[in-house]
Amino acid sequence: MNDKKMMQIVGAVQRTVGDDKKSFWTRIGTAFQNKDGSWNLRFDYLPARLSDTTVQLRDIDPKDTTQPSE
């Protein structure tokens, strides 16, 4: 059993849709916790519009069927 803590890295880009601003979330990587409590972040890709993107570290969504590679 692997007791290493994993989280997903997600990016939210805010866009104007009609008269409203909406955030679109995309999984962009996986994070692995080290023994000392620090984190290794492994990005699958980086958003092109970094100035318009919020990046968050979140618990893995159990509905997500993709398997992160270590």
Side-chain angles (χ1 to χ4, degrees):
M1 178 164 129
N2 187 356
D3 58 356
K4 186 183 268 192
K5 175 81 172 157
M6 290 188 335
M7 298 187 86
Q8 63 184 343
I9 305 168
V10 295
V13 177
Q14 193 174 67
R15 297 186 183 134
T16 302
V17 178
D19 292 335
D20 299 326
K21 287 193 176 192
K22 294 188 177 190
S23 292
F24 294 87
W25 292 92
T26 303
R27 181 175 176 164
I28 60 174
T30 305
F32 301 91
Q33 189 173 32
N34 298 309
K35 290 179 183 177
D36 66 359
S38 64
W39 290 86
N40 289 337
L41 306 178
R42 296 196 180 161
F43 289 88
D44 296 324
Y45 68 91
L46 293 173
R49 297 171 27 182
L50 284 175
S51 63
D52 295 332
T53 304
T54 299
V55 175
Q56 291 187 356
L57 190 60
R58 294 183 167 222
D59 287 324
I60 299 287
D61 185 347
K63 294 181 280 185
D64 187 358
T65 58
T66 61
Q67 296 295 319
S69 60
E70 205 174 323

